């Protein structure tokens, strides 16, 4: 499993872009797109802001588990830390496991 970080550590640059990371926390919100991607906002209490995880529908458990997640669910997300394309955050996780 990739190295475990807090959400606050990732948002403040404690891990370098391109590194493999894992966060544990709770789902603050989730948005599913018609393109087969889910966006998970994960927080762990280490700071106010959540980190976004971008989850592709190619994960083995996407249909059976990811699509059924709801606010407050406990999650473990692993993937690559990348520069965010969205507004409001500097980095996000391209998920390889949820």
């Amino acid at each position: 499993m990739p190295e475990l970080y807090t959400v606050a550590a990732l948002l403040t640059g404690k891990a370098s872009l391109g590194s493999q990371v894992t966060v544990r926390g709770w789902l603050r919100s989730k948005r599913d797109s018609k393109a087969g991607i889910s966006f998970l906002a994960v927080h762990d209490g280490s700071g106010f802001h959540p980190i976004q995880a971008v989850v592709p529908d190619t994960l083995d458990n996407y249909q059976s588990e990811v699509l059924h997640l709801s606010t407050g669910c406990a999650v473990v997300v692993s993937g690559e830390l990348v520069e965010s394309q969205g507004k409001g955050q500097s980095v996000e996780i391209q998920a390889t496991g949820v």
Side-chain angles (χ1 to χ4, degrees):
M1 180 164 38
E3 188 171 348
L4 182 63
Y5 287 90
T6 64
V7 170
L10 294 178
L11 294 177
T12 57
K14 301 287 193 269
S16 58
L17 290 177
S19 60
Q20 296 296 312
V21 298
T22 296
V23 292
R24 294 179 185 157
W26 297 272
L27 199 58
R28 184 172 281 177
S29 66
K30 178 178 77 108
R31 183 170 56 86
D32 300 320
S33 78
K34 293 179 181 171
I37 298 172
S38 290
F39 301 91
L40 309 180
V42 180
H43 74 99
D44 63 1
S46 63
F48 180 74
H49 299 289
I51 191 163
Q52 177 171 271
V54 180
V55 184
D57 64 359
T58 54
L59 294 186
D60 290 342
N61 65 339
Y62 186 83
Q63 296 290 331
S64 63
E65 294 177 359
V66 174
L67 287 178
H68 300 284
L69 293 174
S70 60
T71 301
C73 285
V75 293
V76 178
V77 178
S78 296
E80 182 181 359
L81 188 67
V82 299
E83 189 173 348
S84 179
Q85 302 301 308
K87 288 193 264 180
Q89 69 264 345
S90 57
V91 295
E92 65 189 21
I93 299 171
Q94 291 290 328
T96 55
V98 177

CSV table of all heavy atoms in Angstrom, one decimal, residues 6-55:
chain,number,residue,atom,x,y,z
A,6,THR,N,-2.1,12.4,6.0
A,6,THR,CA,-3.4,13.1,6.3
A,6,THR,C,-3.7,13.9,5.1
A,6,THR,O,-2.9,14.3,4.3
A,6,THR,CB,-3.2,13.9,7.6
A,6,THR,OG1,-2.3,15.0,7.3
A,6,THR,CG2,-2.7,13.1,8.8
A,7,VAL,N,-5.0,14.3,5.1
A,7,VAL,CA,-5.5,15.2,4.0
A,7,VAL,C,-4.7,16.5,4.1
A,7,VAL,O,-4.3,17.1,3.1
A,7,VAL,CB,-7.0,15.4,4.1
A,7,VAL,CG1,-7.5,16.5,3.2
A,7,VAL,CG2,-7.7,14.1,3.8
A,8,ALA,N,-4.6,17.1,5.3
A,8,ALA,CA,-3.9,18.4,5.5
A,8,ALA,C,-2.5,18.3,5.0
A,8,ALA,O,-2.0,19.2,4.4
A,8,ALA,CB,-3.9,18.8,7.0
A,9,ALA,N,-1.8,17.2,5.3
A,9,ALA,CA,-0.4,17.0,4.8
A,9,ALA,C,-0.3,17.1,3.3
A,9,ALA,O,0.6,17.7,2.7
A,9,ALA,CB,0.2,15.7,5.3
A,10,LEU,N,-1.3,16.4,2.6
A,10,LEU,CA,-1.3,16.5,1.1
A,10,LEU,C,-1.6,17.9,0.6
A,10,LEU,O,-1.0,18.3,-0.4
A,10,LEU,CB,-2.3,15.5,0.6
A,10,LEU,CG,-2.0,14.0,0.8
A,10,LEU,CD1,-3.1,13.1,0.3
A,10,LEU,CD2,-0.6,13.6,0.2
A,11,LEU,N,-2.5,18.5,1.2
A,11,LEU,CA,-2.9,19.9,0.8
A,11,LEU,C,-1.9,20.9,1.0
A,11,LEU,O,-1.9,22.0,0.4
A,11,LEU,CB,-4.3,20.3,1.4
A,11,LEU,CG,-5.5,19.4,0.9
A,11,LEU,CD1,-6.7,19.9,1.7
A,11,LEU,CD2,-5.7,19.5,-0.6
A,12,THR,N,-0.9,20.7,2.0
A,12,THR,CA,0.1,21.6,2.3
A,12,THR,C,1.5,21.2,1.7
A,12,THR,O,2.5,21.7,2.1
A,12,THR,CB,0.2,21.8,3.8
A,12,THR,OG1,0.5,20.6,4.4
A,12,THR,CG2,-1.0,22.5,4.4
A,13,GLY,N,1.5,20.3,0.8
A,13,GLY,CA,2.7,20.0,0.0
A,13,GLY,C,3.7,19.0,0.7
A,13,GLY,O,4.8,19.0,0.4
A,14,LYS,N,3.2,18.2,1.7
A,14,LYS,CA,4.1,17.3,2.3
A,14,LYS,C,4.5,16.1,1.5
A,14,LYS,O,5.4,15.3,1.8
A,14,LYS,CB,3.5,16.8,3.7
A,14,LYS,CG,3.2,17.9,4.6
A,14,LYS,CD,4.4,18.5,5.3
A,14,LYS,CE,4.1,19.4,6.4
A,14,LYS,NZ,3.9,20.8,6.2
A,15,ALA,N,3.7,15.9,0.4
A,15,ALA,CA,4.1,14.8,-0.5
A,15,ALA,C,4.3,15.4,-1.9
A,15,ALA,O,3.6,16.4,-2.3
A,15,ALA,CB,2.9,13.8,-0.6
A,16,SER,N,5.2,14.9,-2.7
A,16,SER,CA,5.5,15.5,-4.0
A,16,SER,C,4.5,15.0,-5.0
A,16,SER,O,4.0,13.9,-4.9
A,16,SER,CB,6.9,15.1,-4.4
A,16,SER,OG,7.1,13.7,-4.4
A,17,LEU,N,4.3,15.8,-6.0
A,17,LEU,CA,3.4,15.4,-7.1
A,17,LEU,C,4.0,14.2,-7.8
A,17,LEU,O,5.2,14.0,-7.9
A,17,LEU,CB,3.3,16.6,-8.2
A,17,LEU,CG,2.6,17.8,-7.7
A,17,LEU,CD1,2.7,18.9,-8.8
A,17,LEU,CD2,1.2,17.5,-7.4
A,18,GLY,N,3.1,13.3,-8.2
A,18,GLY,CA,3.5,12.0,-8.8
A,18,GLY,C,3.8,10.9,-7.8
A,18,GLY,O,3.9,9.8,-8.3
A,19,SER,N,3.7,11.2,-6.5
A,19,SER,CA,4.0,10.1,-5.6
A,19,SER,C,2.7,9.3,-5.3
A,19,SER,O,1.6,9.8,-5.5
A,19,SER,CB,4.5,10.7,-4.2
A,19,SER,OG,3.6,11.6,-3.7
A,20,GLN,N,2.8,8.1,-4.9
A,20,GLN,CA,1.7,7.2,-4.6
A,20,GLN,C,1.3,7.5,-3.1
A,20,GLN,O,2.2,7.4,-2.2
A,20,GLN,CB,2.1,5.8,-4.8
A,20,GLN,CG,2.4,5.4,-6.3
A,20,GLN,CD,1.1,5.6,-7.1
A,20,GLN,OE1,0.1,5.2,-6.8
A,20,GLN,NE2,1.3,6.3,-8.3
A,21,VAL,N,0.1,7.8,-2.9
A,21,VAL,CA,-0.4,8.2,-1.5
A,21,VAL,C,-1.6,7.4,-1.2
A,21,VAL,O,-2.4,6.9,-2.0
A,21,VAL,CB,-0.6,9.7,-1.4
A,21,VAL,CG1,0.6,10.5,-1.7
A,21,VAL,CG2,-1.7,10.1,-2.3
A,22,THR,N,-1.9,7.3,0.1
A,22,THR,CA,-3.1,6.8,0.7
A,22,THR,C,-3.7,7.7,1.7
A,22,THR,O,-2.9,8.3,2.5
A,22,THR,CB,-2.9,5.4,1.3
A,22,THR,OG1,-2.5,4.5,0.3
A,22,THR,CG2,-4.1,4.8,2.0
A,23,VAL,N,-5.0,7.9,1.7
A,23,VAL,CA,-5.7,8.7,2.8
A,23,VAL,C,-6.8,7.8,3.3
A,23,VAL,O,-7.4,7.1,2.6
A,23,VAL,CB,-6.2,10.1,2.3
A,23,VAL,CG1,-5.1,11.0,2.0
A,23,VAL,CG2,-7.2,9.9,1.2
A,24,ARG,N,-7.1,8.0,4.6
A,24,ARG,CA,-8.2,7.4,5.2
A,24,ARG,C,-9.1,8.5,5.8
A,24,ARG,O,-8.6,9.4,6.4
A,24,ARG,CB,-7.8,6.5,6.4
A,24,ARG,CG,-6.9,5.3,6.0
A,24,ARG,CD,-6.5,4.6,7.2
A,24,ARG,NE,-5.6,3.5,6.9
A,24,ARG,CZ,-4.8,2.9,7.7
A,24,ARG,NH1,-4.7,3.3,9.0
A,24,ARG,NH2,-4.0,1.9,7.4
A,25,GLY,N,-10.4,8.4,5.6
A,25,GLY,CA,-11.2,9.4,6.1
A,25,GLY,C,-12.7,9.1,5.8
A,25,GLY,O,-13.1,8.0,5.6
A,26,TRP,N,-13.5,10.2,5.7
A,26,TRP,CA,-14.9,10.1,5.5
A,26,TRP,C,-15.3,10.9,4.3
A,26,TRP,O,-14.7,11.9,4.0
A,26,TRP,CB,-15.7,10.6,6.7
A,26,TRP,CG,-15.4,9.8,7.9
A,26,TRP,CD1,-16.0,8.7,8.3
A,26,TRP,CD2,-14.4,10.0,8.9
A,26,TRP,NE1,-15.5,8.2,9.5
A,26,TRP,CE2,-14.4,9.0,9.9
A,26,TRP,CE3,-13.4,11.0,9.0
A,26,TRP,CZ2,-13.5,8.9,10.9
A,26,TRP,CZ3,-12.5,10.9,10.1
A,26,TRP,CH2,-12.6,9.9,11.0
A,27,LEU,N,-16.3,10.4,3.6
A,27,LEU,CA,-16.8,11.0,2.4
A,27,LEU,C,-17.6,12.2,2.8
A,27,LEU,O,-18.7,12.1,3.4
A,27,LEU,CB,-17.7,10.0,1.6
A,27,LEU,CG,-17.9,10.3,0.2
A,27,LEU,CD1,-16.6,10.4,-0.6
A,27,LEU,CD2,-18.7,9.2,-0.4
A,28,ARG,N,-17.2,13.4,2.3
A,28,ARG,CA,-17.9,14.6,2.6
A,28,ARG,C,-19.0,14.8,1.5
A,28,ARG,O,-20.1,15.2,1.7
A,28,ARG,CB,-17.0,15.8,2.6
A,28,ARG,CG,-17.7,17.1,3.0
A,28,ARG,CD,-16.8,18.3,3.2
A,28,ARG,NE,-16.2,18.2,4.6
A,28,ARG,CZ,-15.3,19.0,5.0
A,28,ARG,NH1,-14.9,20.0,4.3
A,28,ARG,NH2,-14.9,18.9,6.3
A,29,SER,N,-18.6,14.5,0.3
A,29,SER,CA,-19.5,14.5,-0.9
A,29,SER,C,-19.0,13.6,-2.0
A,29,SER,O,-17.9,13.3,-2.0
A,29,SER,CB,-19.7,16.0,-1.4
A,29,SER,OG,-18.5,16.4,-1.9
A,30,LYS,N,-20.0,13.3,-2.9
A,30,LYS,CA,-19.6,12.5,-4.1
A,30,LYS,C,-20.4,13.0,-5.3
A,30,LYS,O,-21.6,13.3,-5.1
A,30,LYS,CB,-19.9,11.0,-3.8
A,30,LYS,CG,-19.6,10.1,-5.0
A,30,LYS,CD,-19.9,8.6,-4.7
A,30,LYS,CE,-21.3,8.3,-4.7
A,30,LYS,NZ,-21.8,7.5,-5.7
A,31,ARG,N,-19.8,13.0,-6.4
A,31,ARG,CA,-20.4,13.4,-7.6
A,31,ARG,C,-20.0,12.4,-8.7
A,31,ARG,O,-18.9,12.1,-8.9
A,31,ARG,CB,-20.0,14.8,-8.1
A,31,ARG,CG,-20.7,15.3,-9.3
A,31,ARG,CD,-20.5,16.8,-9.5
A,31,ARG,NE,-19.1,17.1,-9.6
A,31,ARG,CZ,-18.3,17.1,-10.7
A,31,ARG,NH1,-18.9,16.7,-11.8
A,31,ARG,NH2,-17.1,17.4,-10.7
A,32,ASP,N,-21.0,11.8,-9.4
A,32,ASP,CA,-20.8,10.8,-10.4
A,32,ASP,C,-21.1,11.5,-11.8
A,32,ASP,O,-22.1,12.1,-11.9
A,32,ASP,CB,-21.7,9.6,-10.3
A,32,ASP,CG,-21.6,8.9,-9.0
A,32,ASP,OD1,-20.4,8.7,-8.5
A,32,ASP,OD2,-22.6,8.5,-8.4
A,33,SER,N,-20.2,11.3,-12.7
A,33,SER,CA,-20.4,11.9,-14.0
A,33,SER,C,-20.8,10.8,-15.0
A,33,SER,O,-20.6,9.6,-14.8
A,33,SER,CB,-19.1,12.5,-14.5
A,33,SER,OG,-18.2,11.5,-15.0
A,34,LYS,N,-21.5,11.2,-16.1
A,34,LYS,CA,-21.9,10.3,-17.1
A,34,LYS,C,-20.8,9.7,-17.9
A,34,LYS,O,-20.9,8.7,-18.6
A,34,LYS,CB,-22.9,11.0,-18.0
A,34,LYS,CG,-24.2,11.4,-17.4
A,34,LYS,CD,-25.1,12.1,-18.3
A,34,LYS,CE,-26.4,12.4,-17.5
A,34,LYS,NZ,-27.3,13.3,-18.3
A,35,ALA,N,-19.6,10.3,-17.7
A,35,ALA,CA,-18.4,9.8,-18.4
A,35,ALA,C,-17.8,8.6,-17.7
A,35,ALA,O,-16.7,8.1,-18.2
A,35,ALA,CB,-17.4,11.0,-18.6
A,36,GLY,N,-18.4,8.2,-16.6
A,36,GLY,CA,-17.8,7.0,-15.9
A,36,GLY,C,-16.7,7.4,-14.9
A,36,GLY,O,-15.8,6.6,-14.7
A,37,ILE,N,-16.8,8.5,-14.3
A,37,ILE,CA,-15.9,9.0,-13.3
A,37,ILE,C,-16.6,9.5,-12.1
A,37,ILE,O,-17.7,10.1,-12.2
A,37,ILE,CB,-15.0,10.1,-13.9
A,37,ILE,CG1,-14.2,9.7,-15.1
A,37,ILE,CG2,-14.1,10.7,-12.8
A,37,ILE,CD1,-13.5,10.8,-15.8
A,38,SER,N,-16.1,9.2,-10.9
A,38,SER,CA,-16.7,9.7,-9.7
A,38,SER,C,-15.7,10.6,-9.0
A,38,SER,O,-14.5,10.3,-9.1
A,38,SER,CB,-17.1,8.6,-8.7
A,38,SER,OG,-18.2,7.9,-9.2
A,39,PHE,N,-16.2,11.7,-8.4
A,39,PHE,CA,-15.4,12.6,-7.7
A,39,PHE,C,-15.8,12.5,-6.2
A,39,PHE,O,-16.9,12.8,-5.9
A,39,PHE,CB,-15.6,14.0,-8.2
A,39,PHE,CG,-15.3,14.2,-9.7
A,39,PHE,CD1,-16.3,14.0,-10.6
A,39,PHE,CD2,-14.0,14.5,-10.1
A,39,PHE,CE1,-16.0,14.1,-12.0
A,39,PHE,CE2,-13.7,14.6,-11.5
A,39,PHE,CZ,-14.7,14.4,-12.4
A,40,LEU,N,-14.8,12.1,-5.4
A,40,LEU,CA,-15.0,11.9,-4.0
A,40,LEU,C,-14.3,13.0,-3.2
A,40,LEU,O,-13.1,13.3,-3.4
A,40,LEU,CB,-14.5,10.6,-3.5
A,40,LEU,CG,-14.9,9.3,-4.2
A,40,LEU,CD1,-14.2,8.1,-3.6
A,40,LEU,CD2,-16.4,9.2,-4.3
A,41,ALA,N,-15.0,13.7,-2.3
A,41,ALA,CA,-14.4,14.7,-1.4
A,41,ALA,C,-14.2,14.0,-0.1
A,41,ALA,O,-15.1,13.7,0.6
A,41,ALA,CB,-15.2,15.9,-1.3
A,42,VAL,N,-12.9,13.8,0.3
A,42,VAL,CA,-12.6,13.0,1.4
A,42,VAL,C,-11.9,13.9,2.5
A,42,VAL,O,-11.0,14.7,2.2
A,42,VAL,CB,-11.6,11.9,1.1
A,42,VAL,CG1,-11.2,11.0,2.3
A,42,VAL,CG2,-12.1,10.9,0.0
A,43,HIS,N,-12.5,13.8,3.7
A,43,HIS,CA,-11.9,14.6,4.8
A,43,HIS,C,-11.6,13.6,6.0
A,43,HIS,O,-12.2,12.6,6.1
A,43,HIS,CB,-12.8,15.7,5.3
A,43,HIS,CG,-14.0,15.3,6.0
A,43,HIS,ND1,-14.0,15.3,7.4
A,43,HIS,CD2,-15.2,14.8,5.7
A,43,HIS,CE1,-15.2,14.9,7.8
A,43,HIS,NE2,-15.9,14.5,6.8
A,44,ASP,N,-10.6,14.0,6.8
A,44,ASP,CA,-10.2,13.1,7.9
A,44,ASP,C,-10.1,13.9,9.2
A,44,ASP,O,-9.6,13.3,10.2
A,44,ASP,CB,-8.8,12.4,7.6
A,44,ASP,CG,-7.7,13.4,7.4
A,44,ASP,OD1,-7.9,14.6,7.5
A,44,ASP,OD2,-6.6,12.9,7.1
A,45,GLY,N,-10.5,15.1,9.3
A,45,GLY,CA,-10.4,15.9,10.5
A,45,GLY,C,-9.1,16.6,10.7
A,45,GLY,O,-9.0,17.3,11.7
A,46,SER,N,-8.1,16.4,9.9
A,46,SER,CA,-6.8,17.0,10.1
A,46,SER,C,-6.8,18.5,9.6
A,46,SER,O,-5.9,19.2,9.9
A,46,SER,CB,-5.7,16.2,9.3
A,46,SER,OG,-6.0,16.3,7.9
A,47,GLY,N,-7.8,18.9,8.9
A,47,GLY,CA,-8.0,20.3,8.5
A,47,GLY,C,-9.4,20.5,8.0
A,47,GLY,O,-10.2,19.6,8.0
A,48,PHE,N,-9.7,21.7,7.6
A,48,PHE,CA,-11.1,22.0,7.2
A,48,PHE,C,-11.4,21.5,5.8
A,48,PHE,O,-12.5,21.0,5.6
A,48,PHE,CB,-11.3,23.5,7.3
A,48,PHE,CG,-12.7,23.9,6.9
A,48,PHE,CD1,-13.8,23.6,7.8
A,48,PHE,CD2,-13.0,24.5,5.7
A,48,PHE,CE1,-15.1,24.0,7.4
A,48,PHE,CE2,-14.3,24.8,5.3
A,48,PHE,CZ,-15.3,24.6,6.2
A,49,HIS,N,-10.4,21.6,4.9
A,49,HIS,CA,-10.7,21.3,3.5
A,49,HIS,C,-10.5,19.8,3.2
A,49,HIS,O,-9.6,19.2,3.7
A,49,HIS,CB,-9.8,22.1,2.6
A,49,HIS,CG,-10.0,23.6,2.8
A,49,HIS,ND1,-11.1,24.2,2.3
A,49,HIS,CD2,-9.3,24.5,3.3
A,49,HIS,CE1,-11.1,25.5,2.6
A,49,HIS,NE2,-9.9,25.7,3.2
A,50,PRO,N,-11.4,19.2,2.4
A,50,PRO,CA,-11.2,17.9,1.9
A,50,PRO,C,-10.3,17.8,0.7
A,50,PRO,O,-10.0,18.8,0.1
A,50,PRO,CB,-12.7,17.5,1.5
A,50,PRO,CG,-13.3,18.7,1.0
A,50,PRO,CD,-12.7,19.8,1.9
A,51,ILE,N,-9.9,16.6,0.4
A,51,ILE,CA,-9.1,16.4,-0.8
A,51,ILE,C,-10.0,15.7,-1.8
A,51,ILE,O,-10.8,14.8,-1.4
A,51,ILE,CB,-7.8,15.7,-0.6
A,51,ILE,CG1,-6.9,15.7,-1.9
A,51,ILE,CG2,-8.0,14.2,-0.2
A,51,ILE,CD1,-5.4,15.4,-1.6
A,52,GLN,N,-9.9,16.0,-3.1
A,52,GLN,CA,-10.7,15.3,-4.1
A,52,GLN,C,-10.0,14.1,-4.6
A,52,GLN,O,-8.8,14.2,-4.9
A,52,GLN,CB,-11.0,16.3,-5.3
A,52,GLN,CG,-11.8,15.6,-6.4
A,52,GLN,CD,-12.3,16.6,-7.4
A,52,GLN,OE1,-13.3,17.2,-7.3
A,52,GLN,NE2,-11.5,16.8,-8.4
A,53,ALA,N,-10.7,13.0,-4.7
A,53,ALA,CA,-10.2,11.8,-5.4
A,53,ALA,C,-11.0,11.6,-6.6
A,53,ALA,O,-12.2,11.6,-6.6
A,53,ALA,CB,-10.3,10.6,-4.5
A,54,VAL,N,-10.3,11.4,-7.8
A,54,VAL,CA,-11.0,11.2,-9.0
A,54,VAL,C,-10.9,9.7,-9.3
A,54,VAL,O,-9.8,9.1,-9.4
A,54,VAL,CB,-10.3,11.9,-10.2
A,54,VAL,CG1,-10.9,11.7,-11.5
A,54,VAL,CG2,-10.2,13.4,-9.9
A,55,VAL,N,-12.1,9.0,-9.3
A,55,VAL,CA,-12.2,7.6,-9.4
A,55,VAL,C,-12.7,7.1,-10.8
A,55,VAL,O,-13.9,7.4,-11.1
A,55,VAL,CB,-13.1,7.0,-8.3
A,55,VAL,CG1,-13.1,5.5,-8.3
A,55,VAL,CG2,-12.7,7.6,-6.9
